[in-house]
Amino acid sequence: GFSETTSASFSVDAVIGSIDGDATTEATVFEYQYNIGLSTSFTGEDSLDVAIDSGSDAAVTKDNPFALDTGASLSVDGVTYSFPVGGISMIVGNDTDISASFTGACSYSAFTDYMSDCGTGNSIGKAGNGVTATGSYAFDSGFSLAAGLSSKTDKTGILTKEGADSYGIEAAYTADSWGIAVAYVSDDMAAAAEKTTWGINGTYSFDLADVSVGYETQESSGTDSTGYFVGLTFPEVGPGSVSVGAATAGLFTDAQTELMTYEASYSYPVNDGLTVTPGVFIEETSGDDLTGIFVKSSFSF
């Protein structure tokens, strides 16, 4: 059994559907992911968290944006330790997002990865790779500051590129009905030139719907590229909620043709442990547009 300070959570995500267009077929696609979360506290203010995953091992592509790419074998996905240092909330771990302590200001519930983090996944939702440390400080006024640093390592824990790291800082403000977050990230882990990214997202809650927006601009080797997102969430439509969003399919330079993605979904909580979300998305490509219809079932227990 577990100790008195240890808790476990379990979840399963299953997606079934098909995509039509371009070089794709109308074959049915099924993807799944199984997650175990273990959390233990030693002082009452800290938390040692272990994530264990298993699931489909297909890579994410434009033909299969719902691929979860976790690998069929059950494996440890990350280990983090959270603890306070004065008024600063710290998180250290391996393969942890440098934005793990970022507040963000995105209230949109994304149906596909295209819309996650309100289109600011390169900055406010920046992933980590290797040893990571993040921290945040929340002021009483609703203003917060956060920062994160990650160094790229291989499976043996050795740095794969001398001086390779990724770091970011974020400033955010959260009020009762609105919020805004601005982040800056510098990343030189890739073999190519260093990338610097600015991202901003925000949300505002009206009586009828919640509006979320996002914008990113990135510079690499003297070339600038940008992307944006806008989404609406209607929280009370029958027993569930409706989400409608539009975003650029990545970051594009002025010389490139800007391509868009669109999605609409309805999230219905069957009970406390099961939520079913049918939805549709359209992605513009240089060839034929892609149209996908999927149903996602999320179990938690």
Side-chain angles (χ1 to χ4, degrees):
F2 295 122
S3 68
E4 293 182 354
T5 61
T6 300
S7 61
S9 61
F10 305 86
S11 66
V12 176
D13 292 323
V15 179
I16 187 170
S18 65
I19 303 176
D20 180 41
D22 201 13
T24 64
T25 67
E26 295 184 12
T28 299
V29 175
F30 176 79
E31 304 290 344
Y32 72 95
Q33 183 173 3
Y34 175 65
N35 306 98
I36 302 174
L38 300 175
S39 180
T40 302
S41 179
F42 302 95
T43 67
E45 295 182 334
D46 64 344
S47 179
L48 176 64
D49 300 288
V50 180
I52 303 173
D53 298 332
S54 178
S56 306
D57 55 4
V60 177
T61 66
K62 69 175 183 178
D63 297 342
N64 188 10
F66 284 98
L68 300 173
D69 198 19
T70 59
S73 300
L74 198 65
S75 61
V76 175
D77 184 47
V79 178
T80 61
Y81 183 59
S82 306
F83 57 95
V85 178
I88 300 176
S89 299
M90 293 293 302
I91 301 175
V92 296
N94 189 60
D95 290 338
T96 302
D97 293 350
I98 67 171
S99 59
S101 297
F102 288 10
T103 302
C106 178
S107 63
Y108 182 77
S109 180
F111 181 61
T112 66
D113 286 341
Y114 303 131
M115 309 292 176
S116 60
D117 299 307
C118 286
T120 54
N122 297 300
S123 54
I124 297 177
K126 176 63 177 176
N129 186 338
V131 180
T132 303
T134 73
S136 64
Y137 185 86
F139 297 86
D140 294 336
S141 61
F143 181 72
S144 64
L145 290 173
L149 171 67
S150 180
S151 296
K152 188 174 183 179
T153 60
D154 62 15
K155 293 182 179 180
T156 65
I158 300 175
L159 288 174
T160 56
K161 176 184 175 184
E162 184 177 358
D165 56 32
S166 175
Y167 64 88
I169 57 175
E170 183 215 44
Y173 180 80
T174 303
D176 291 338
S177 60
W178 65 279
I180 189 170
V182 179
Y184 169 82
V185 168
S186 174
D187 188 342
D188 66 349
M189 288 187 177
E194 176 183 355
K195 296 180 181 179
T196 58
T197 308
W198 284 93
I200 180 172
N201 62 34
T203 184
Y204 191 93
S205 297
F206 296 92
D207 292 336
L208 179 63
D210 299 333
V211 179
S212 297
V213 296
Y215 177 82
E216 270 193 343
T217 178
Q218 185 177 91
E219 189 273 332
S220 179
S221 300
T223 301
D224 295 326
S225 55
T226 60
Y228 56 88
F229 158 88
V230 61
L232 286 173
T233 300
F234 300 88
E236 297 181 3
V237 180
S241 61
V242 171
S243 296
V244 181
T248 53
L251 303 179
F252 296 89
T253 67
D254 291 339
Q256 294 176 314
T257 300
E258 189 175 88
L259 303 174
M260 298 291 296
T261 63
Y262 309 90
E263 70 173 30
S265 62
Y266 181 74
S267 183
Y268 169 62
V270 179
N271 51 46
D272 292 339
L274 171 60
T275 300
V276 177
T277 307
V280 59
F281 75 89
I282 299 173
E283 180 190 0
E284 296 178 346
T285 74
S286 56
D288 296 332
D289 294 347
L290 305 180
T291 301
I293 300 177
F294 282 83
V295 177
K296 179 180 179 180
S297 299
S298 299
F299 304 84
S300 60
F301 49 99

